[in-house]
Amino acid sequence: MTAQVTVGLDGSDESLAAARWAAGEAVLREVPLRLVHVEEWPNTPEVPLPYARTLAERAEELLRDESDRLRKEHPGLEVFTGRTCGRAADVLTAAADEADLMVLGSRGLGGVLGFVVGSVSLPVVGSARKPVVLVRAEGAGRHAGPTAPRDGIVVGVDVHHPCESLLAFSFAEAARRRVPLRFLHSWTLPASYGYASVVDPGLGEELGADLLGDLEDLLEPWRGRFPGVEATARAIPGSAAHQMVQASQDAELVIVGRRTPRLPVGTRLGHVAHAVLHHSPAPVAVVPLSEPTGAVPPSEPTGAG
């Protein structure tokens, strides 16, 4: 793995927005930025050579212009470029596994071309072993800075499953940006409660308090390692997907987890992650969740508040 931020670039407004966001992330992490353009050839008929040369020239021009612009906007940022042929989802997944972070453009709900949710982004998000961030064109400016939303970073947490990698990524990102973290766990009463919950509303309050306690316990060691990060926790009754989408409206970044076991065909991406990817105006980071290894949480990044 190389210490770098990688972005998929196809010339669309969304991929250009992703490149801008990725450049800011690379600056925060103090690592190089890599721009990757994938030429996805049709199986048949064979592409005529003159047309192939035109596509190659356009790709080279795109990479050159974008790398020059990002270097100008971020003096001192190392920017590398790469152009390759193949199936975009496979190439970008491999690139994601080799980087600290992969960034892709997304048009959210209704997109049908380019690096959009459902065509290229979803296979990458569902397969990559490293975190992947999807950026919409209108959400590109939601990075650290005077114009960024001030509600910080929103993180969806399921206290019933291991989420150490999610917590590590979230606290590190908040420390780099010097913004607060908001952790949300949504819940509904089990069907076994039946009419008891109607007769005694306190049952729901008791369950909510227990879940909030579990969430606070998860966060306690990370707060100790990142004393400069303000982290709040809420256990909210209702649909997790709805609550996360609502919370994303004023967020700088939204972070959700993805369990790593793969299905016999394709990969697993839960309905909450699907909803957030389609409807969040803010960039969305999807973090693969792994079983806990007993490792000590990493220290706060140098210079974090």
Side-chain angles (χ1 to χ4, degrees):
M1 185 186 74
T2 303
Q4 64 183 14
V5 174
T6 299
V7 57
L9 192 66
D10 68 353
S12 66
D13 290 342
E14 291 74 27
S15 74
L16 295 175
R20 291 194 296 273
W21 192 94
E25 182 70 14
V27 170
L28 286 176
R29 291 171 175 251
E30 299 181 342
V31 299
L33 175 68
R34 182 188 178 205
L35 308 179
V36 177
H37 178 81
V38 182
E39 297 171 15
E40 190 163 21
W41 299 104
N43 292 327
T44 57
E46 184 176 351
V47 177
L49 185 57
Y51 183 64
R53 287 176 177 169
T54 300
L55 292 177
E57 291 170 357
R58 289 177 179 174
E60 290 292 349
E61 182 180 7
L62 170 65
L63 291 170
R64 181 177 62 253
D65 290 348
E66 189 62 15
S67 59
D68 288 345
R69 183 177 65 83
L70 295 175
R71 290 189 186 100
K72 183 177 180 180
E73 293 178 356
H74 302 279
L77 174 64
E78 291 185 86
V79 182
F80 303 98
T81 63
R83 183 171 60 86
T84 185
C85 298
R87 185 173 178 269
D90 293 340
V91 173
L92 293 173
T93 298
D97 291 341
E98 296 174 355
D100 289 341
L101 186 71
M102 167 62 77
V103 184
L104 299 173
S106 169
R107 293 174 188 163
L109 189 64
V112 293
L113 296 172
F115 298 141
V116 300
V117 173
S119 62
V120 172
S121 293
L122 279 187
V124 178
V125 167
S127 301
R129 296 193 297 270
K130 307 293 291 185
V132 178
V133 176
L134 268 62
V135 178
R136 298 175 70 169
E138 60 270 29
R142 297 186 173 223
H143 223 295
T147 61
R150 302 322 305 164
D151 278 355
I153 298 174
V154 174
V155 187
V157 179
D158 184 347
V159 298
H160 302 299
H161 293 91
C163 58
E164 292 300 296
S165 57
L166 178 73
L167 298 178
F169 182 87
S170 301
F171 272 91
E173 289 299 301
R176 292 187 185 100
R177 290 170 171 75
R178 301 175 183 266
V179 297
L181 279 171
R182 290 185 289 154
F183 289 92
L184 301 182
H185 173 83
S186 297
W187 57 274
T188 56
L189 281 173
S192 58
Y193 277 57
Y195 289 108
S197 61
V198 178
V199 176
D200 184 5
L203 291 175
E205 295 177 3
E206 181 180 350
L207 178 58
D210 289 344
L211 292 172
L212 179 59
D214 293 340
L215 181 54
E216 293 284 3
D217 290 342
L218 281 177
L219 300 182
E220 182 179 1
W222 295 93
R223 286 171 170 150
R225 297 295 292 182
F226 291 83
V229 175
E230 175 190 344
T232 59
R234 294 181 65 193
I236 309 174
S239 162
H242 174 75
Q243 297 290 356
M244 286 297 297
V245 170
Q246 289 296 109
S248 74
Q249 301 305 305
D250 297 317
E252 175 179 318
L253 176 67
V254 179
I255 305 176
V256 295
R258 171 183 65 82
R259 289 195 287 275
T260 54
R262 298 189 177 186
L263 302 174
V265 178
T267 53
R268 174 181 297 177
L269 193 64
H271 74 282
V272 176
H274 266 288
V276 175
L277 288 173
H278 283 304
H279 298 289
S280 169
V284 179
V286 180
V287 180
L289 302 178
S290 55
E291 294 297 326
T293 60
V296 178
S299 300
E300 184 170 355
T302 303

Short mmCIF file of all heavy atoms in Angstrom, two decimals, residues 127-187:
data_model
loop_
_atom_site.label_atom_id
_atom_site.label_comp_id
_atom_site.label_asym_id
_atom_site.label_seq_id
_atom_site.Cartn_x
_atom_site.Cartn_y
_atom_site.Cartn_z
N SER A 127 -16.42 -3.43 -2.60
CA SER A 127 -15.33 -4.41 -2.67
C SER A 127 -14.01 -3.94 -2.10
O SER A 127 -13.19 -4.77 -1.69
CB SER A 127 -15.10 -4.82 -4.14
OG SER A 127 -16.26 -5.37 -4.72
N ALA A 128 -13.77 -2.65 -2.09
CA ALA A 128 -12.46 -2.13 -1.67
C ALA A 128 -12.16 -2.50 -0.22
O ALA A 128 -13.05 -2.48 0.64
CB ALA A 128 -12.40 -0.63 -1.87
N ARG A 129 -10.90 -2.77 0.05
CA ARG A 129 -10.47 -3.10 1.41
C ARG A 129 -10.11 -1.86 2.21
O ARG A 129 -9.82 -1.94 3.40
CB ARG A 129 -9.28 -4.05 1.37
CG ARG A 129 -9.60 -5.41 0.75
CD ARG A 129 -8.48 -6.40 1.02
NE ARG A 129 -7.23 -5.99 0.41
CZ ARG A 129 -6.85 -6.33 -0.82
NH1 ARG A 129 -7.64 -7.09 -1.56
NH2 ARG A 129 -5.68 -5.93 -1.30
N LYS A 130 -10.09 -0.70 1.55
CA LYS A 130 -9.78 0.57 2.21
C LYS A 130 -10.98 1.51 2.09
O LYS A 130 -11.87 1.29 1.26
CB LYS A 130 -8.55 1.21 1.56
CG LYS A 130 -7.33 0.30 1.50
CD LYS A 130 -6.79 -0.01 2.88
CE LYS A 130 -6.15 1.21 3.50
NZ LYS A 130 -5.52 0.90 4.81
N PRO A 131 -11.03 2.58 2.88
CA PRO A 131 -12.16 3.51 2.80
C PRO A 131 -12.28 4.16 1.43
O PRO A 131 -11.27 4.46 0.77
CB PRO A 131 -11.85 4.55 3.88
CG PRO A 131 -10.96 3.83 4.84
CD PRO A 131 -10.12 2.91 4.00
N VAL A 132 -13.52 4.38 1.01
CA VAL A 132 -13.83 5.05 -0.26
C VAL A 132 -14.78 6.21 0.03
O VAL A 132 -15.75 6.04 0.76
CB VAL A 132 -14.48 4.09 -1.27
CG1 VAL A 132 -14.81 4.82 -2.57
CG2 VAL A 132 -13.57 2.90 -1.55
N VAL A 133 -14.49 7.37 -0.55
CA VAL A 133 -15.34 8.55 -0.37
C VAL A 133 -16.00 8.88 -1.69
O VAL A 133 -15.34 8.93 -2.74
CB VAL A 133 -14.54 9.77 0.11
CG1 VAL A 133 -15.43 11.01 0.20
CG2 VAL A 133 -13.91 9.49 1.47
N LEU A 134 -17.31 9.10 -1.66
CA LEU A 134 -18.05 9.53 -2.84
C LEU A 134 -18.44 10.99 -2.68
O LEU A 134 -18.96 11.39 -1.63
CB LEU A 134 -19.31 8.68 -3.04
CG LEU A 134 -19.14 7.44 -3.96
CD1 LEU A 134 -18.12 6.48 -3.39
CD2 LEU A 134 -20.46 6.74 -4.17
N VAL A 135 -18.16 11.78 -3.72
CA VAL A 135 -18.37 13.22 -3.67
C VAL A 135 -19.31 13.63 -4.79
O VAL A 135 -19.10 13.28 -5.95
CB VAL A 135 -17.03 13.98 -3.82
CG1 VAL A 135 -17.26 15.49 -3.81
CG2 VAL A 135 -16.05 13.57 -2.73
N ARG A 136 -20.32 14.41 -4.46
CA ARG A 136 -21.22 14.97 -5.46
C ARG A 136 -20.72 16.36 -5.84
O ARG A 136 -20.06 17.04 -5.05
CB ARG A 136 -22.64 15.03 -4.91
CG ARG A 136 -23.19 13.65 -4.58
CD ARG A 136 -24.54 13.71 -3.93
NE ARG A 136 -25.58 14.13 -4.86
CZ ARG A 136 -26.88 14.06 -4.59
NH1 ARG A 136 -27.29 13.57 -3.42
NH2 ARG A 136 -27.76 14.45 -5.46
N ALA A 137 -21.02 16.80 -7.04
CA ALA A 137 -20.51 18.07 -7.53
C ALA A 137 -20.89 19.22 -6.60
O ALA A 137 -20.08 20.10 -6.31
CB ALA A 137 -21.01 18.34 -8.94
N GLU A 138 -22.13 19.20 -6.09
CA GLU A 138 -22.58 20.29 -5.24
C GLU A 138 -22.03 20.19 -3.83
O GLU A 138 -22.16 21.11 -3.04
CB GLU A 138 -24.11 20.35 -5.18
CG GLU A 138 -24.77 19.10 -4.62
CD GLU A 138 -25.10 18.08 -5.69
OE1 GLU A 138 -24.39 18.05 -6.72
OE2 GLU A 138 -26.08 17.34 -5.51
N GLY A 139 -21.40 19.05 -3.49
CA GLY A 139 -20.85 18.90 -2.14
C GLY A 139 -19.35 19.00 -2.08
O GLY A 139 -18.74 18.75 -1.04
N ALA A 140 -18.70 19.42 -3.20
CA ALA A 140 -17.25 19.42 -3.25
C ALA A 140 -16.63 20.41 -2.29
O ALA A 140 -15.51 20.22 -1.83
CB ALA A 140 -16.77 19.74 -4.68
N GLY A 141 -17.34 21.49 -1.98
CA GLY A 141 -16.77 22.49 -1.09
C GLY A 141 -16.89 22.16 0.38
O GLY A 141 -16.47 22.94 1.23
N ARG A 142 -17.44 20.99 0.70
CA ARG A 142 -17.66 20.66 2.10
C ARG A 142 -16.42 20.06 2.73
O ARG A 142 -16.40 18.94 3.21
CB ARG A 142 -18.84 19.69 2.24
CG ARG A 142 -20.14 20.29 1.78
CD ARG A 142 -21.30 19.37 2.07
NE ARG A 142 -22.55 20.04 1.78
CZ ARG A 142 -23.63 19.97 2.56
NH1 ARG A 142 -23.61 19.30 3.66
NH2 ARG A 142 -24.74 20.61 2.23
N HIS A 143 -15.35 20.82 2.70
CA HIS A 143 -14.10 20.41 3.32
C HIS A 143 -13.79 21.41 4.41
O HIS A 143 -14.50 22.39 4.61
CB HIS A 143 -12.97 20.37 2.27
CG HIS A 143 -12.10 19.17 2.43
ND1 HIS A 143 -11.31 18.97 3.53
CD2 HIS A 143 -11.90 18.09 1.62
CE1 HIS A 143 -10.65 17.83 3.39
NE2 HIS A 143 -10.99 17.28 2.25
N ALA A 144 -12.73 21.17 5.14
CA ALA A 144 -12.35 22.09 6.19
C ALA A 144 -12.10 23.47 5.61
O ALA A 144 -11.49 23.61 4.57
CB ALA A 144 -11.11 21.58 6.91
N GLY A 145 -12.58 24.50 6.27
CA GLY A 145 -12.37 25.85 5.78
C GLY A 145 -13.50 26.76 6.22
O GLY A 145 -14.49 26.32 6.80
N PRO A 146 -13.38 28.06 5.94
CA PRO A 146 -14.37 29.03 6.42
C PRO A 146 -15.77 28.78 5.90
O PRO A 146 -16.75 29.11 6.55
CB PRO A 146 -13.83 30.37 5.89
CG PRO A 146 -12.39 30.13 5.58
CD PRO A 146 -12.29 28.68 5.20
N THR A 147 -15.90 28.20 4.68
CA THR A 147 -17.22 28.02 4.09
C THR A 147 -17.80 26.64 4.34
O THR A 147 -18.90 26.34 3.89
CB THR A 147 -17.16 28.26 2.58
OG1 THR A 147 -16.26 27.31 1.98
CG2 THR A 147 -16.66 29.66 2.27
N ALA A 148 -17.07 25.78 5.05
CA ALA A 148 -17.55 24.42 5.30
C ALA A 148 -18.69 24.44 6.31
O ALA A 148 -18.74 25.29 7.20
CB ALA A 148 -16.42 23.54 5.82
N PRO A 149 -19.65 23.50 6.21
CA PRO A 149 -20.70 23.40 7.21
C PRO A 149 -20.09 23.22 8.60
O PRO A 149 -19.08 22.54 8.74
CB PRO A 149 -21.48 22.16 6.77
CG PRO A 149 -21.21 22.05 5.31
CD PRO A 149 -19.79 22.52 5.14
N ARG A 150 -20.67 23.80 9.61
CA ARG A 150 -20.06 23.78 10.93
C ARG A 150 -20.61 22.68 11.82
O ARG A 150 -20.31 22.67 13.01
CB ARG A 150 -20.25 25.13 11.61
CG ARG A 150 -19.68 26.31 10.86
CD ARG A 150 -18.35 26.04 10.16
NE ARG A 150 -17.33 25.54 11.08
CZ ARG A 150 -16.23 24.95 10.68
NH1 ARG A 150 -16.01 24.74 9.41
NH2 ARG A 150 -15.34 24.54 11.55
N ASP A 151 -21.42 21.78 11.31
CA ASP A 151 -21.91 20.68 12.12
C ASP A 151 -20.95 19.50 12.10
O ASP A 151 -21.27 18.42 12.59
CB ASP A 151 -23.30 20.24 11.64
CG ASP A 151 -24.38 21.13 12.23
OD1 ASP A 151 -24.03 21.99 13.05
OD2 ASP A 151 -25.55 20.98 11.87
N GLY A 152 -19.79 19.67 11.50
CA GLY A 152 -18.75 18.67 11.58
C GLY A 152 -19.05 17.39 10.82
O GLY A 152 -19.65 17.40 9.76
N ILE A 153 -18.64 16.29 11.43
CA ILE A 153 -18.72 14.98 10.78
C ILE A 153 -19.78 14.14 11.47
O ILE A 153 -19.83 14.06 12.70
CB ILE A 153 -17.36 14.26 10.85
CG1 ILE A 153 -16.29 15.07 10.11
CG2 ILE A 153 -17.45 12.85 10.28
CD1 ILE A 153 -14.88 14.51 10.26
N VAL A 154 -20.64 13.52 10.67
CA VAL A 154 -21.68 12.64 11.18
C VAL A 154 -21.27 11.19 10.92
O VAL A 154 -20.86 10.84 9.80
CB VAL A 154 -23.03 12.93 10.50
CG1 VAL A 154 -24.08 11.90 10.93
CG2 VAL A 154 -23.50 14.33 10.84
N VAL A 155 -21.39 10.35 11.94
CA VAL A 155 -20.97 8.95 11.83
C VAL A 155 -22.13 8.05 12.27
O VAL A 155 -22.66 8.21 13.37
CB VAL A 155 -19.74 8.65 12.71
CG1 VAL A 155 -19.23 7.24 12.44
CG2 VAL A 155 -18.64 9.68 12.48
N GLY A 156 -22.50 7.11 11.42
CA GLY A 156 -23.49 6.12 11.79
C GLY A 156 -22.83 4.91 12.42
O GLY A 156 -21.89 4.34 11.86
N VAL A 157 -23.30 4.51 13.60
CA VAL A 157 -22.69 3.41 14.35
C VAL A 157 -23.76 2.39 14.73
O VAL A 157 -24.85 2.76 15.19
CB VAL A 157 -22.00 3.91 15.64
CG1 VAL A 157 -21.40 2.75 16.42
CG2 VAL A 157 -20.91 4.93 15.31
N ASP A 158 -23.44 1.13 14.53
CA ASP A 158 -24.28 0.03 15.00
C ASP A 158 -23.56 -0.60 16.18
O ASP A 158 -22.54 -1.28 16.00
CB ASP A 158 -24.51 -1.00 13.89
CG ASP A 158 -25.46 -2.10 14.31
OD1 ASP A 158 -25.76 -2.22 15.51
OD2 ASP A 158 -25.92 -2.86 13.43
N VAL A 159 -24.06 -0.37 17.38
CA VAL A 159 -23.35 -0.83 18.58
C VAL A 159 -23.37 -2.35 18.70
O VAL A 159 -22.66 -2.91 19.54
CB VAL A 159 -23.96 -0.21 19.85
CG1 VAL A 159 -23.82 1.31 19.82
CG2 VAL A 159 -25.42 -0.62 20.04
N HIS A 160 -24.15 -3.02 17.87
CA HIS A 160 -24.25 -4.48 17.95
C HIS A 160 -23.19 -5.19 17.12
O HIS A 160 -23.12 -6.42 17.14
CB HIS A 160 -25.64 -4.94 17.50
CG HIS A 160 -26.76 -4.33 18.29
ND1 HIS A 160 -26.90 -4.51 19.65
CD2 HIS A 160 -27.80 -3.53 17.91
CE1 HIS A 160 -27.97 -3.86 20.07
NE2 HIS A 160 -28.53 -3.26 19.04
N HIS A 161 -22.38 -4.45 16.37
CA HIS A 161 -21.36 -5.07 15.52
C HIS A 161 -20.02 -4.39 15.73
O HIS A 161 -19.97 -3.20 16.09
CB HIS A 161 -21.75 -4.97 14.04
CG HIS A 161 -22.96 -5.77 13.67
ND1 HIS A 161 -24.23 -5.23 13.71
CD2 HIS A 161 -23.10 -7.06 13.28
CE1 HIS A 161 -25.11 -6.16 13.34
NE2 HIS A 161 -24.46 -7.27 13.08
N PRO A 162 -18.91 -5.11 15.52
CA PRO A 162 -17.58 -4.50 15.67
C PRO A 162 -17.42 -3.32 14.72
O PRO A 162 -17.83 -3.38 13.56
CB PRO A 162 -16.63 -5.65 15.28
CG PRO A 162 -17.41 -6.90 15.49
CD PRO A 162 -18.83 -6.55 15.17
N CYS A 163 -16.83 -2.25 15.22
CA CYS A 163 -16.68 -1.05 14.39
C CYS A 163 -15.41 -0.28 14.71
O CYS A 163 -15.36 0.94 14.58
CB CYS A 163 -17.90 -0.14 14.55
SG CYS A 163 -18.20 0.40 16.25
N GLU A 164 -14.36 -0.98 15.12
CA GLU A 164 -13.11 -0.31 15.48
C GLU A 164 -12.52 0.47 14.32
O GLU A 164 -12.02 1.59 14.49
CB GLU A 164 -12.09 -1.33 16.01
CG GLU A 164 -12.47 -1.96 17.34
CD GLU A 164 -12.61 -0.91 18.45
OE1 GLU A 164 -11.60 -0.28 18.79
OE2 GLU A 164 -13.74 -0.71 18.93
N SER A 165 -12.56 -0.10 13.12
CA SER A 165 -12.00 0.61 11.96
C SER A 165 -12.80 1.87 11.65
O SER A 165 -12.23 2.89 11.24
CB SER A 165 -11.96 -0.31 10.74
OG SER A 165 -13.26 -0.83 10.44
N LEU A 166 -14.10 1.83 11.86
CA LEU A 166 -14.95 3.00 11.65
C LEU A 166 -14.60 4.11 12.64
O LEU A 166 -14.48 5.29 12.27
CB LEU A 166 -16.42 2.60 11.78
CG LEU A 166 -17.45 3.72 11.65
CD1 LEU A 166 -17.55 4.17 10.20
CD2 LEU A 166 -18.81 3.26 12.16
N LEU A 167 -14.43 3.74 13.91
CA LEU A 167 -14.09 4.73 14.92
C LEU A 167 -12.70 5.32 14.68
O LEU A 167 -12.50 6.53 14.83
CB LEU A 167 -14.16 4.08 16.31
CG LEU A 167 -15.53 3.55 16.73
CD1 LEU A 167 -15.45 2.89 18.10
CD2 LEU A 167 -16.56 4.67 16.74
N ALA A 168 -11.76 4.48 14.29
CA ALA A 168 -10.40 4.97 14.02
C ALA A 168 -10.40 5.99 12.89
O ALA A 168 -9.79 7.06 12.99
CB ALA A 168 -9.48 3.80 13.68
N PHE A 169 -11.09 5.67 11.80
CA PHE A 169 -11.16 6.58 10.66
C PHE A 169 -11.85 7.87 11.05
O PHE A 169 -11.40 8.97 10.70
CB PHE A 169 -11.91 5.89 9.51
CG PHE A 169 -12.00 6.72 8.26
CD1 PHE A 169 -10.99 6.69 7.31
CD2 PHE A 169 -13.11 7.53 8.02
CE1 PHE A 169 -11.07 7.44 6.15
CE2 PHE A 169 -13.20 8.29 6.87
CZ PHE A 169 -12.18 8.25 5.93
N SER A 170 -12.95 7.78 11.79
CA SER A 170 -13.75 8.96 12.15
C SER A 170 -12.96 9.92 13.03
O SER A 170 -12.94 11.14 12.79
CB SER A 170 -15.03 8.52 12.86
OG SER A 170 -15.80 7.67 12.05
N PHE A 171 -12.34 9.41 14.07
CA PHE A 171 -11.60 10.29 14.97
C PHE A 171 -10.39 10.92 14.27
O PHE A 171 -10.09 12.10 14.50
CB PHE A 171 -11.16 9.52 16.22
CG PHE A 171 -12.19 9.52 17.31
CD1 PHE A 171 -13.14 8.52 17.39
CD2 PHE A 171 -12.22 10.53 18.27
CE1 PHE A 171 -14.10 8.51 18.39
CE2 PHE A 171 -13.17 10.54 19.27
CZ PHE A 171 -14.12 9.53 19.34
N ALA A 172 -9.71 10.15 13.42
CA ALA A 172 -8.57 10.70 12.70
C ALA A 172 -9.01 11.82 11.75
O ALA A 172 -8.35 12.86 11.64
CB ALA A 172 -7.85 9.60 11.93
N GLU A 173 -10.13 11.63 11.05
CA GLU A 173 -10.62 12.66 10.14
C GLU A 173 -11.03 13.92 10.90
O GLU A 173 -10.74 15.05 10.47
CB GLU A 173 -11.82 12.13 9.34
CG GLU A 173 -11.46 11.08 8.30
CD GLU A 173 -10.49 11.62 7.27
OE1 GLU A 173 -10.83 12.62 6.59
OE2 GLU A 173 -9.39 11.07 7.14
N ALA A 174 -11.71 13.77 12.02
CA ALA A 174 -12.12 14.93 12.81
C ALA A 174 -10.91 15.67 13.36
O ALA A 174 -10.90 16.91 13.41
CB ALA A 174 -13.03 14.48 13.95
N ALA A 175 -9.89 14.94 13.76
CA ALA A 175 -8.68 15.58 14.29
C ALA A 175 -7.97 16.38 13.21
O ALA A 175 -7.49 17.49 13.46
CB ALA A 175 -7.73 14.52 14.86
N ARG A 176 -7.92 15.84 12.00
CA ARG A 176 -7.26 16.57 10.91
C ARG A 176 -8.00 17.87 10.59
O ARG A 176 -7.40 18.90 10.30
CB ARG A 176 -7.20 15.70 9.66
CG ARG A 176 -6.29 14.50 9.76
CD ARG A 176 -6.17 13.79 8.42
NE ARG A 176 -5.40 12.57 8.54
CZ ARG A 176 -5.91 11.36 8.64
NH1 ARG A 176 -7.22 11.20 8.58
NH2 ARG A 176 -5.14 10.30 8.76
N ARG A 177 -9.32 17.81 10.59
CA ARG A 177 -10.13 18.96 10.21
C ARG A 177 -10.41 19.91 11.37
O ARG A 177 -10.90 21.01 11.15
CB ARG A 177 -11.47 18.48 9.64
CG ARG A 177 -11.36 17.81 8.30
CD ARG A 177 -12.69 17.15 7.95
NE ARG A 177 -12.69 16.68 6.58
CZ ARG A 177 -12.04 15.60 6.16
NH1 ARG A 177 -11.35 14.86 7.02
NH2 ARG A 177 -12.08 15.25 4.88
N ARG A 178 -10.16 19.44 12.60
CA ARG A 178 -10.48 20.23 13.80
C ARG A 178 -11.99 20.54 13.85
O ARG A 178 -12.40 21.69 14.08
CB ARG A 178 -9.65 21.52 13.84
CG ARG A 178 -8.15 21.29 13.83
CD ARG A 178 -7.41 22.62 13.76
NE ARG A 178 -5.97 22.43 13.67
CZ ARG A 178 -5.13 22.43 14.71
NH1 ARG A 178 -5.62 22.61 15.92
NH2 ARG A 178 -3.84 22.26 14.53
N VAL A 179 -12.80 19.53 13.61
CA VAL A 179 -14.25 19.69 13.65
C VAL A 179 -14.83 18.64 14.59
O VAL A 179 -14.20 17.62 14.86
CB VAL A 179 -14.88 19.55 12.25
CG1 VAL A 179 -14.37 20.65 11.33
CG2 VAL A 179 -14.59 18.17 11.65
N PRO A 180 -16.04 18.87 15.11
CA PRO A 180 -16.65 17.90 16.02
C PRO A 180 -17.19 16.67 15.30
O PRO A 180 -17.45 16.70 14.10
CB PRO A 180 -17.79 18.70 16.66
CG PRO A 180 -18.13 19.74 15.65
CD PRO A 180 -16.84 20.11 14.98
N LEU A 181 -17.36 15.62 16.08
CA LEU A 181 -17.93 14.36 15.60
C LEU A 181 -19.31 14.18 16.23
O LEU A 181 -19.50 14.41 17.42
CB LEU A 181 -17.06 13.18 16.00
CG LEU A 181 -15.82 12.84 15.17
CD1 LEU A 181 -15.00 11.76 15.90
CD2 LEU A 181 -16.21 12.36 13.79
N ARG A 182 -20.26 13.73 15.40
CA ARG A 182 -21.58 13.37 15.92
C ARG A 182 -21.84 11.91 15.59
O ARG A 182 -21.97 11.53 14.43
CB ARG A 182 -22.67 14.23 15.27
CG ARG A 182 -22.66 15.68 15.71
CD ARG A 182 -23.85 16.41 15.10
NE ARG A 182 -23.71 16.61 13.66
CZ ARG A 182 -24.73 16.74 12.82
NH1 ARG A 182 -25.98 16.63 13.25
NH2 ARG A 182 -24.51 16.95 11.54
N PHE A 183 -21.90 11.08 16.61
CA PHE A 183 -22.16 9.65 16.43
C PHE A 183 -23.64 9.37 16.65
O PHE A 183 -24.22 9.79 17.66
CB PHE A 183 -21.33 8.82 17.41
CG PHE A 183 -19.86 8.80 17.09
CD1 PHE A 183 -19.00 9.73 17.65
CD2 PHE A 183 -19.34 7.86 16.21
CE1 PHE A 183 -17.65 9.72 17.35
CE2 PHE A 183 -18.00 7.84 15.90
CZ PHE A 183 -17.14 8.77 16.48
N LEU A 184 -24.24 8.65 15.70
CA LEU A 184 -25.66 8.33 15.78
C LEU A 184 -25.88 6.82 15.76
O LEU A 184 -25.30 6.11 14.93
CB LEU A 184 -26.42 8.96 14.60
CG LEU A 184 -26.37 10.47 14.43
CD1 LEU A 184 -27.21 10.89 13.23
CD2 LEU A 184 -26.85 11.18 15.69
N HIS A 185 -26.70 6.34 16.66
CA HIS A 185 -27.18 4.95 16.61
C HIS A 185 -28.69 5.00 16.64
O HIS A 185 -29.29 5.56 17.56
CB HIS A 185 -26.65 4.14 17.79
CG HIS A 185 -27.26 2.76 17.85
ND1 HIS A 185 -26.78 1.70 17.11
CD2 HIS A 185 -28.33 2.28 18.55
CE1 HIS A 185 -27.52 0.63 17.35
NE2 HIS A 185 -28.46 0.95 18.22
N SER A 186 -29.33 4.47 15.60
CA SER A 186 -30.80 4.45 15.54
C SER A 186 -31.32 3.08 15.93
O SER A 186 -30.68 2.06 15.67
CB SER A 186 -31.27 4.82 14.13
OG SER A 186 -30.87 6.13 13.80
N TRP A 187 -32.49 3.06 16.54
CA TRP A 187 -33.03 1.81 17.03
C TRP A 187 -34.55 1.81 16.98
O TRP A 187 -35.19 2.86 16.91
CB TRP A 187 -32.58 1.57 18.48
CG TRP A 187 -32.97 2.68 19.42
CD1 TRP A 187 -32.29 3.84 19.67
CD2 TRP A 187 -34.16 2.76 20.22
NE1 TRP A 187 -32.97 4.63 20.56
CE2 TRP A 187 -34.11 3.99 20.92
CE3 TRP A 187 -35.26 1.91 20.41
CZ2 TRP A 187 -35.12 4.38 21.79
CZ3 TRP A 187 -36.26 2.30 21.27
CH2 TRP A 187 -36.19 3.52 21.95
#
